[in-house]
Amino acid sequence: MISQSQIDALRDAPVSNAQHVINGQTVAASDGAMMEITSPINGQRLTDIAAGGSVDVDRAVAAARAAFEDGRWSRIAATARGRILQRIADKIEAEAQSLAVLGVRDNGTEISMAIKAEPMSAAATFRFYGELCGKDYGEIAPTAPGTLGLVHHEPVGVVGVIVPWNFPLMIGAWKIAAALAAGNTVVLKPSEVASLSLLRLVEICHEAGLPDGVLNVVTGTGIDVGAALGKHMDVDVMTFTGSGGVGRQLMMYAAQSNLKRVYLELGGKSPNVIFADAGDLDKAAAVAVGGIFRDSGQVCIAASRLLVERSIHAEFTEKVIALASKMQIGDPLDLKTSAGAIASETQMNSVLAAIDLAKAEGAELRMGGTRQLSQTGGYYIGPTLFDNAPQSSALVQKEIFGPVLAVQPFDTEDEAVTLANGTDYGLSSAVFTRDISRAHRMVERLKAGVVHVNTYGGADGSVPLGGVGQSGNGHDKSHHALDKFRNLKTAWIQL
Ligand code: NAD
């Protein structure tokens, strides 16, 4: 899908300063402000992006509102929208290599993962929603004779999209493609840590024929741009992926402004439960390692808790340590690298502080725990494993969003369920067992938006992803995600 020579040809390509895109035009911040973007690969300046503010958000929302109200997108045939979304998918695929390398330079995800998880996944998402356009029927309600109840789906209007720095293309596409498919217009605010590939995606959308004003982007910080979008009186729906703290803020902004709907896809502390009857323990260990240490743990569904039945706990933990110690950490633009950089210096320091706290809380540090490759100037932390982690510790209870695994032994299925469900989160989970009844019981009993059985991650766009508890209140992906971006309207007719 991408070769080392293709990567090497792109790795030092100049990156132009980036501006907002409003009403199809590239525009500077209203006060001309810019902010510097550094690459986590080496801590060096990569480029500057526009540092927006509330005036820029007002302009972008006004453009999105005008484009919505005049029907240039909301009132064309759904199949015509679908054709454009599919053209966008084609163009993303055609540019997959350069999009992936640009994104990796911005956020440090290893390229072997990024090429599939970023452009190829984003293309698949645009294709999925493009294909759904025109296949979205309304309803005739089963009303009494002499009356007719019609249920129409209508776009909501202007959708505000705020995304995090991990997998910006994949997560951005989940939201943008679904919102556009339902006929809305969009104002996007990428993470200031990883804006660049999304900015190119917005250009691609216009090159594919998306009308001006339908997709606008304002770059900058959360407090300046994100808050202005969240508080805006003319944004109808906010869809957000990121931390719980900012999710709470967005709900408050909605309460303080126009009561816009707010959908949150938040963090997790996802349990991976290994029973002694898991069968191939080597395979289960390899999946456990990939589930937490790929992308240096900066994955919302990272399997950051490993619950192992006591009879295999020591053997299984050794297998995980042996496999994790073979991982190649470092230059994310090397195809052989299995875990790249931490996305920013701030995030690296936050992970290191969480590791120090875990040591103080009494868990046994069995591997890692320190910064690596500091001579490169980049932000790297090796796979870190704590054994016998206390259930009440921050190590078990709080999302770290880094390459840190908490291992806990358990004795019974009931205990595994209690430990697994014993956090405020409920995003993802997994169970490894050969007992089909146990597998189904665990699917029923684990409190999570997704329960993997004998695997981890990799679910395609046909199934929803969303959390329960403090992992969120909405779903991305699948036809269910369209519900976030449309209203139901009843026509009640006396015959
Ligand atoms: P973050 O919450 O710090 O930032 C996310 C976005 O919110 C960024 O664009 C940021 O600029 C913006 N923001 C920050 N402060 C804001 C404010 N006051 N008002 C409005 N917007 C503001 O999250 P992050 O560090 O970028 O990403 C990591 C988090 O995202 C983790 O918690 C991770 O689990 C979560 N995540 C969840 C999913 C999922 O699908 N559930 C997927 C990926 C990441």
Side-chain angles (χ1 to χ4, degrees), residues 52-73:
S54 59
V55 175
D56 304 297
V57 171
D58 285 346
R59 286 158 66 187
V61 174
R65 174 60 59 192
F68 180 76
E69 296 299 340
D70 74 12
R72 72 186 82 164
W73 182 252

Short mmCIF file of all heavy atoms in Angstrom, two decimals, residues 52-73:
data_model
loop_
_atom_site.label_atom_id
_atom_site.label_comp_id
_atom_site.label_asym_id
_atom_site.label_seq_id
_atom_site.Cartn_x
_atom_site.Cartn_y
_atom_site.Cartn_z
N GLY A 52 -7.23 30.77 14.86
CA GLY A 52 -8.53 31.42 14.73
C GLY A 52 -9.09 31.88 16.06
O GLY A 52 -8.53 31.63 17.13
N GLY A 53 -10.24 32.55 15.97
CA GLY A 53 -10.95 33.02 17.15
C GLY A 53 -12.42 33.14 16.83
O GLY A 53 -12.89 32.67 15.77
N SER A 54 -13.15 33.80 17.70
CA SER A 54 -14.61 33.80 17.56
C SER A 54 -15.07 34.53 16.29
O SER A 54 -16.08 34.16 15.70
CB SER A 54 -15.27 34.41 18.80
OG SER A 54 -14.80 35.72 18.97
N VAL A 55 -14.29 35.54 15.84
CA VAL A 55 -14.70 36.24 14.60
C VAL A 55 -14.63 35.27 13.42
O VAL A 55 -15.53 35.24 12.56
CB VAL A 55 -13.78 37.47 14.36
CG1 VAL A 55 -14.10 38.13 13.03
CG2 VAL A 55 -13.92 38.45 15.51
N ASP A 56 -13.59 34.45 13.40
CA ASP A 56 -13.46 33.47 12.30
C ASP A 56 -14.57 32.42 12.38
O ASP A 56 -15.12 31.99 11.36
CB ASP A 56 -12.09 32.77 12.39
CG ASP A 56 -10.97 33.78 12.38
OD1 ASP A 56 -10.82 34.48 11.37
OD2 ASP A 56 -10.26 33.88 13.40
N VAL A 57 -14.90 32.00 13.60
CA VAL A 57 -15.98 31.03 13.76
C VAL A 57 -17.29 31.64 13.29
O VAL A 57 -18.07 30.99 12.57
CB VAL A 57 -16.07 30.54 15.23
CG1 VAL A 57 -17.32 29.70 15.46
CG2 VAL A 57 -14.81 29.75 15.60
N ASP A 58 -17.53 32.92 13.63
CA ASP A 58 -18.76 33.59 13.16
C ASP A 58 -18.83 33.57 11.64
O ASP A 58 -19.89 33.30 11.05
CB ASP A 58 -18.79 35.06 13.62
CG ASP A 58 -19.12 35.19 15.10
OD1 ASP A 58 -19.59 34.20 15.70
OD2 ASP A 58 -18.89 36.28 15.65
N ARG A 59 -17.69 33.86 11.00
CA ARG A 59 -17.69 33.88 9.51
C ARG A 59 -17.96 32.50 8.95
O ARG A 59 -18.71 32.33 7.98
CB ARG A 59 -16.34 34.40 9.00
CG ARG A 59 -16.18 35.90 9.19
CD ARG A 59 -14.73 36.33 9.19
NE ARG A 59 -14.07 36.14 7.90
CZ ARG A 59 -12.77 36.31 7.71
NH1 ARG A 59 -11.99 36.66 8.72
NH2 ARG A 59 -12.24 36.13 6.53
N ALA A 60 -17.36 31.49 9.56
CA ALA A 60 -17.53 30.12 9.06
C ALA A 60 -18.97 29.64 9.26
O ALA A 60 -19.56 29.01 8.37
CB ALA A 60 -16.54 29.19 9.75
N VAL A 61 -19.53 29.95 10.42
CA VAL A 61 -20.92 29.52 10.68
C VAL A 61 -21.87 30.26 9.74
O VAL A 61 -22.82 29.66 9.21
CB VAL A 61 -21.30 29.73 12.17
CG1 VAL A 61 -22.78 29.43 12.39
CG2 VAL A 61 -20.43 28.85 13.08
N ALA A 62 -21.60 31.55 9.49
CA ALA A 62 -22.47 32.30 8.58
C ALA A 62 -22.41 31.69 7.17
O ALA A 62 -23.45 31.56 6.49
CB ALA A 62 -22.04 33.77 8.54
N ALA A 63 -21.20 31.29 6.75
CA ALA A 63 -21.07 30.66 5.42
C ALA A 63 -21.82 29.33 5.38
O ALA A 63 -22.53 29.02 4.41
CB ALA A 63 -19.59 30.45 5.09
N ALA A 64 -21.69 28.56 6.45
CA ALA A 64 -22.37 27.27 6.50
C ALA A 64 -23.88 27.45 6.53
O ALA A 64 -24.63 26.71 5.88
CB ALA A 64 -21.90 26.48 7.74
N ARG A 65 -24.34 28.46 7.28
CA ARG A 65 -25.79 28.72 7.35
C ARG A 65 -26.34 29.13 5.99
O ARG A 65 -27.37 28.62 5.53
CB ARG A 65 -26.05 29.82 8.41
CG ARG A 65 -27.49 30.30 8.49
CD ARG A 65 -28.47 29.20 8.83
NE ARG A 65 -28.16 28.59 10.10
CZ ARG A 65 -28.73 27.44 10.53
NH1 ARG A 65 -29.62 26.81 9.78
NH2 ARG A 65 -28.38 26.92 11.69
N ALA A 66 -25.63 30.04 5.31
CA ALA A 66 -26.10 30.49 4.00
C ALA A 66 -26.14 29.32 3.03
O ALA A 66 -27.11 29.15 2.27
CB ALA A 66 -25.18 31.60 3.47
N ALA A 67 -25.11 28.48 3.07
CA ALA A 67 -25.07 27.33 2.15
C ALA A 67 -26.17 26.33 2.48
O ALA A 67 -26.72 25.68 1.58
CB ALA A 67 -23.70 26.65 2.24
N PHE A 68 -26.52 26.24 3.75
CA PHE A 68 -27.61 25.32 4.11
C PHE A 68 -28.95 25.87 3.63
O PHE A 68 -29.74 25.16 3.01
CB PHE A 68 -27.65 25.09 5.63
CG PHE A 68 -28.75 24.16 6.02
CD1 PHE A 68 -28.61 22.79 5.80
CD2 PHE A 68 -29.94 24.63 6.56
CE1 PHE A 68 -29.64 21.91 6.12
CE2 PHE A 68 -30.97 23.76 6.89
CZ PHE A 68 -30.82 22.40 6.66
N GLU A 69 -29.19 27.14 3.93
CA GLU A 69 -30.52 27.69 3.67
C GLU A 69 -30.83 27.82 2.18
O GLU A 69 -31.98 27.69 1.78
CB GLU A 69 -30.68 29.08 4.34
CG GLU A 69 -30.60 29.03 5.87
CD GLU A 69 -31.68 28.17 6.54
OE1 GLU A 69 -32.72 27.90 5.91
OE2 GLU A 69 -31.45 27.75 7.70
N ASP A 70 -29.82 28.07 1.34
CA ASP A 70 -30.16 28.22 -0.08
C ASP A 70 -30.27 26.87 -0.80
O ASP A 70 -30.56 26.82 -1.99
CB ASP A 70 -29.17 29.18 -0.78
CG ASP A 70 -27.79 28.56 -1.02
OD1 ASP A 70 -27.63 27.34 -0.86
OD2 ASP A 70 -26.87 29.33 -1.36
N GLY A 71 -30.05 25.79 -0.08
CA GLY A 71 -30.35 24.46 -0.62
C GLY A 71 -29.32 23.93 -1.60
O GLY A 71 -29.55 22.90 -2.23
N ARG A 72 -28.15 24.59 -1.72
CA ARG A 72 -27.17 24.13 -2.71
C ARG A 72 -26.69 22.70 -2.40
O ARG A 72 -26.14 22.02 -3.25
CB ARG A 72 -25.99 25.10 -2.80
CG ARG A 72 -25.06 25.09 -1.63
CD ARG A 72 -24.00 26.18 -1.72
NE ARG A 72 -24.51 27.47 -1.26
CZ ARG A 72 -23.73 28.51 -0.96
NH1 ARG A 72 -22.41 28.43 -1.09
NH2 ARG A 72 -24.25 29.64 -0.54
N TRP A 73 -26.89 22.28 -1.17
CA TRP A 73 -26.51 20.91 -0.77
C TRP A 73 -27.70 20.20 -0.14
O TRP A 73 -28.00 19.05 -0.46
CB TRP A 73 -25.34 20.98 0.22
CG TRP A 73 -24.81 19.66 0.67
CD1 TRP A 73 -24.96 19.09 1.90
CD2 TRP A 73 -24.03 18.74 -0.09
NE1 TRP A 73 -24.32 17.87 1.95
CE2 TRP A 73 -23.74 17.64 0.75
CE3 TRP A 73 -23.55 18.73 -1.40
CZ2 TRP A 73 -22.99 16.53 0.32
CZ3 TRP A 73 -22.80 17.64 -1.83
CH2 TRP A 73 -22.53 16.56 -0.98
#
